[in-house]
Amino acid sequence: MKKITLILALALFSCEKEEVTPTAEAPITTVEDCNCDRVVSSSSFNYPDGSSYGYWSTVNDCTNQTVNGQWSSTSGQTKPVVGTCK
């Protein structure tokens, strides 16, 4: 029991706290495209005949307006890709 206590005591006191100083980095700037409704989510479901349909959500980064909608391959539409403009 004394050995375990001694090992634990040595382990606790032998550790050093590392000081982390933040480095100065250039600020990241992003250009907002107010004409872009960015796709934030997209889902798809398949019909037995091979066609598919689903739902999507977009957000405009300038206005924070969110729009939800549906898509269908039978209407000639394709599944929206997350991160692209709609």
Side-chain angles (χ1 to χ4, degrees):
M1 185 69 164
K2 289 182 182 180
K3 289 182 181 181
I4 294 174
T5 306
L6 180 62
I7 291 172
L8 288 175
L10 286 173
L12 289 174
F13 294 111
S14 64
C15 296
E16 292 182 21
K17 185 176 181 180
E18 182 181 344
E19 294 294 326
V20 178
T21 56
T23 59
E25 295 181 9
I28 298 173
T29 58
T30 56
V31 178
E32 294 178 345
D33 183 0
C34 294
N35 295 322
C36 173
D37 291 335
R38 183 172 43 88
V39 178
V40 292
S41 69
S42 179
S43 64
S44 64
F45 305 96
N46 297 323
Y47 288 117
D49 66 357
S51 61
S52 56
Y53 75 99
Y55 302 95
W56 50 263
S57 295
T58 62
V59 66
N60 185 297
D61 292 325
C62 294
T63 63
N64 286 330
Q65 181 180 7
T66 302
V67 178
N68 299 314
Q70 299 178 10
W71 66 272
S72 173
S73 64
T74 57
S75 301
Q77 301 169 330
T78 58
K79 178 182 176 183
V81 178
V82 173
T84 61
C85 293
K86 182 154 179 57

